[in-house]
Every structure is written in C-alpha cells, then in structure tokens.
C-alpha cells in the first residue's frame, strides 16, 4: 500500500497537471454543492480538529491512500453485477456485505440491497460507508438508471447518522472518490460528519471541486445531465 506521502503527491500532481477526466458539474465547470446532506453545509476548509481516527475498531478502509494499487481494477469495473449473483470473492466489500469478514460489523440498515459499516480509518467523528450488496463498479461507471440507487444510498447515510445521534444534516459530506482515486472498485458512498470538523488530510481527501472527489448530489446532477444530452 502506498504511503500517505505518495498519495499526496499523486493528488496534487493529478490536480494541477493532468488534463484527464474529472468529476465536473453540468456545463463543464466544477461547482460547489449548497448545504445539504450530499454536500458540505459549511466549507470543508472551515473547522478544526484532526478527526482522522486511529484505525481501531470494526470497519473497512476506502480512500485515496490505496489509489495507486487499485487504479487498474477500479477503472476496469463496470456498473452492474460482478461475478455470479453479483458476488466477487476477491472484493473485500462483497465479502463484508455477505458477512464473510468477521472483523467488520454491519450497522442496522433498512434497505436489504445495501449495507453500512464504519470506515476503518475515519476522516471525521462519524465516517460510514454505504455499499450495495451486489458488486458494482465505481461511480464513473454509473448510468442514469442508477440515480435511484445513489439516492437510496444517501438516505441510508442520513439514517445511520441519526441513529448514531448526529442530526445536523447541513454539516454532512457524502460523496465518492473518482477513478483512479478509488481504493476499492466496488461502489461505496462516504458519509462524513461533522463536515466542519474534517482534519487536515480529510479536507484534502474529501475535497469538494477536486479531481478526485465528487459529492453525491453532484454525481446525481451529472447523471441527469448526461441523460438529457443523450
């Protein structure tokens, strides 16, 4: 696994030098998402606290720190089922969703097609991952028909926050890492709160209007625009 230092170099290089594809708002411009569950009700740069966690406890890691190692598989996965019955035995999130990883505890989730668990390296006091049970590719592979799925993932994210005594949904960041900055090719939504308390590295990893992170609301808008243009 690449070190944090190498990851930072990758991010900054990609941000300033690469003309490649990046998550953009409709119209070709990156655009901040207004306050709400999918965006950051407050600026990610405002706020204090490290909120990076110690990596202990039940959870699974998903972030750009493993981007280089997983870039090829992340780019190659298409939206839809992975292997037989939508299961890929080599995918850690498929195994977690099937309760085959005893070290990761699943949180209560009312949607039978989704699972939720804590990120093993939290970027905020509350950091959860919402994942489809069936294997799906990264957010770049999604189509218009997947918009309801993204919305359901957001609803699960809101519900788990409220169940864990966090109610300020204007101070939440929900989003996806854009390839090649996906550590795991299986689609997963990051749910972080309070967004105002993201630590230094978290503000970098989950930065709005960056080449490597797109909020859930921006992704939905992007998919809607692509459908209108087709």
């Amino acid at each position: 696994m690449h070190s944090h230092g190498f990851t930072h170099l990758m991010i900054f290089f990609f941000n300033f030098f690469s003309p490649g594809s990046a998550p953009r708002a409709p119209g070709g411009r990156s655009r901040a998402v207004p306050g709400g569950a999918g965006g950051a009700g407050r600026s990610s740069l405002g706020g204090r606290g490290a909120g990076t966690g110690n990596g202990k406890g039940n959870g699974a890691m998903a972030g750009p720190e493993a981007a280089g190692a997983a870039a090829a598989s992340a780019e190659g996965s298409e939206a839809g089922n992975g292997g037989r019955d939508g299961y890929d035995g080599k995918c850690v999130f498929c195994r977690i969703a099937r309760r085959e990883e005893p070290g990761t505890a699943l949180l209560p989730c009312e949607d039978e097609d989704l699972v939720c668990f804590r990120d093993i390296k939290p970027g905020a006091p509350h950091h959860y991952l919402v994942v489809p049970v069936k294997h799906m590719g990264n957010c770049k592979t999604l189509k218009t028909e997947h918009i309801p799925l993204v919305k359901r993932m957001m609803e699960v994210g809101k519900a788990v926050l409220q169940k864990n005594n966090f109610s300020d949904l204007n101070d939440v960041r929900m989003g996806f890492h854009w390839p090649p900055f996906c550590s795991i090719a299986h689609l997963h939504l990051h749910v972080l709160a309070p967004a105002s308390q993201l630590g230094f590295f978290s503000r970098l990893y989950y930065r709005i209007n960056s080449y490597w992170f797109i909020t859930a609301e921006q992704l939905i808008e992007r998919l809607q625009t692509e459908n209108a243009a087709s």
Side-chain angles (χ1 to χ4, degrees), residues 12 16 19 24 26-27 71 78 84 87 105 114 117 119 137-138 148 151 157 162 174 186:
F12 283 117
F16 294 111
R24 297 283 182 174
E78 295 296 329
R84 181 181 301 176
Y87 176 79
L114 301 171
F117 46 92
D119 195 300
N138 60 62
K151 290 182 177 180
Q162 292 172 327
M174 295 190 189
H186 192 132

Side-chain angles (χ1 to χ4, degrees), residues 55-62 91-108 115-121 127-131 184:
K56 296 181 180 179
N58 294 332
M61 178 182 61
C91 173
V92 64
F93 283 178
C94 282
R95 297 196 302 271
I96 290 174
R98 303 293 179 99
R99 300 180 185 275
E100 296 175 1
E101 291 286 335
T104 300
L106 297 183
L107 301 174
V115 294
C116 183
F117 46 92
R118 292 180 174 86
D119 195 300
I120 197 170
K121 291 189 175 181
H127 188 173
Y128 309 104
L129 299 177
V130 180
V131 177
I184 297 175

Side-chain angles (χ1 to χ4, degrees), residues 16-82:
F16 294 111
F17 297 103
S18 174
S21 61
R24 297 283 182 174
R29 294 180 294 108
S30 293
R31 183 165 58 83
V33 175
R42 301 183 179 93
S43 169
S44 64
L45 297 179
R48 63 188 187 282
T52 54
N54 55 14
K56 296 181 180 179
N58 294 332
M61 178 182 61
E65 63 273 10
S73 62
E75 284 282 11
S77 296
E78 295 296 329
N81 294 349

